[in-house]
Amino acid sequence: MAGLAWMVGAPGISHADDPLLRPIKPADAAEWITPQAPLHIYGNTYLVGFGALNVALIRTSAGLILIDGAVPQGVRAIEANIRRLGFRIADVKLILNTEPHFDHASGIAALARDSGATVIASAAAAAVLRSGQAAPDDPQVAWGVAYPGVRRVRAVADGTPIRLGDTIVTAHLTAGHTPGSMSWTWRSCEGGRCLDTVFASSLNPIAGPGYRYTGHPEEADAFRRSFATLRALPCNILLTPHPGQSDGDVKARKLAVSRIPNPFIDDKACRIYAETYAALFEKRLADEKAGRAK
């Protein structure tokens, strides 16, 4: 498509006029995209998202990397936060995705258009991002919401290192919440101290009506492998798609008051995250077997 609706910042163009910025499920999204100032986590790592929806930014010597893109109605706020840090949206060279659900991916098409960045995801997630339609094997397909598809997506495999300038981000397949969920790791250095940073995919074993993990043993096995992966990762700093999944909301409030000690530095965070959701997953399986799962 062409025309004024595709012009970034064109006068008189509203979200409703721009097909990539039309709000998706505004009532639900409003709970997630509460305004939040950009937050410097550590070294080259920042958050440029919202009170209940994380979007991470990594500064490299050759440009910026974003992780996730929230919802279309949040895109302008993400771009404003990038500018508040002294960067430009054109500095974004890569956009990585943890999962192709609309709350983390439906803003990616607009962010990719505005920046010219390359979008990267797992093979399963890439197919969903291109189509904007939930995959039939997604445990939450019953709640699937269509969103603007991303024209060009690069698919990468588990363990793939992605280099931009002086930074390497590694992909870790952590399927379960969605078949293509991916976690991302990199090193953040500050004052001569380098820490292993993890933006983990969601491990929430929620599922739509009628879906039973007990009826999909391959998905259950994938979830268990993902728990093991997160437990084993070198991890000094953990970020999650929804900050509340890892007490990130509490940590952000503390960090805004004082950086010493930095509340995000926690060598046990990934293990606790994995073990918490592994226990919830086993409870869900027990509920399914007992007929208690909805």
Side-chain angles (χ1 to χ4, degrees), residues 153-174:
V153 187
R154 174 186 164 196
V156 297
D158 181 34
T160 300
I162 298 157
R163 179 184 290 275
L164 184 64
D166 59 359
T167 301
I168 297 175
V169 181
T170 302
H172 303 272
L173 186 63
T174 43

Side-chain angles (χ1 to χ4, degrees), residues 40-47 56-60 67 166-169 184-199 234-239 259 262 264-265:
H40 180 208
I41 300 300
Y42 186 85
N44 60 356
T45 301
Y46 305 80
L47 291 177
L57 181 145
I58 307 169
R59 170 180 42 81
T60 85
I67 302 181
D166 59 359
T167 301
I168 297 175
V169 181
W184 307 91
T185 63
W186 64 98
R187 296 276 279 171
S188 298
C189 300
E190 183 175 298
R193 183 187 182 193
C194 294
L195 300 178
D196 291 299
T197 305
V198 178
F199 195 119
C235 176
N236 306 116
I237 295 173
L238 171 65
L239 304 172
R259 300 189 64 83
N262 188 321
F264 279 91
I265 300 175

Side-chain angles (χ1 to χ4, degrees), residues 89-289:
I89 185 61
D91 296 328
V92 177
K93 305 304 180 184
L94 300 175
I95 301 174
L96 314 181
N97 179 235
T98 60
E99 64 175 74
H101 284 164
F102 86 94
D103 47 338
H104 309 288
S106 58
I108 289 178
L111 288 165
R113 175 198 64 188
D114 294 353
S115 64
T118 298
V119 178
I120 300 178
S122 71
V128 177
L129 291 172
R130 293 184 190 110
S131 70
Q133 300 286 337
D137 56 349
D138 189 318
Q140 297 179 60
V141 65
W143 299 325
V145 178
Y147 57 79
V150 182
R151 288 181 176 179
R152 293 181 297 276
V153 187
R154 174 186 164 196
V156 297
D158 181 34
T160 300
I162 298 157
R163 179 184 290 275
L164 184 64
D166 59 359
T167 301
I168 297 175
V169 181
T170 302
H172 303 272
L173 186 63
T174 43
H177 183 73
T178 76
S181 291
M182 192 78 89
S183 297
W184 307 91
T185 63
W186 64 98
R187 296 276 279 171
S188 298
C189 300
E190 183 175 298
R193 183 187 182 193
C194 294
L195 300 178
D196 291 299
T197 305
V198 178
F199 195 119
S201 67
S202 177
L203 297 180
N204 189 351
I206 190 172
Y211 187 93
R212 298 290 183 269
Y213 285 99
T214 47
H216 296 83
E218 69 288 351
E219 294 297 333
D221 289 343
F223 237 143
R224 291 192 176 103
R225 287 193 297 272
S226 297
F227 299 137
T229 294
L230 263 298
R231 285 192 195 99
L233 281 179
C235 176
N236 306 116
I237 295 173
L238 171 65
L239 304 172
T240 49
H242 293 282
Q245 295 172 317
S246 54
D247 291 330
D249 46 352
V250 176
K251 295 173 183 176
R253 289 193 293 270
K254 290 181 177 178
L255 189 66
V257 175
S258 176
R259 300 189 64 83
I260 303 173
N262 188 321
F264 279 91
I265 300 175
D266 181 356
D267 296 349
K268 303 184 297 297
C270 282
R271 177 174 55 79
I272 292 171
Y273 178 56
E275 291 178 355
T276 297
Y277 282 93
L280 289 174
F281 181 63
E282 295 305 327
K283 181 180 183 302
R284 180 179 177 89
L285 293 180
D287 287 345
E288 288 180 2
K289 291 174 182 178

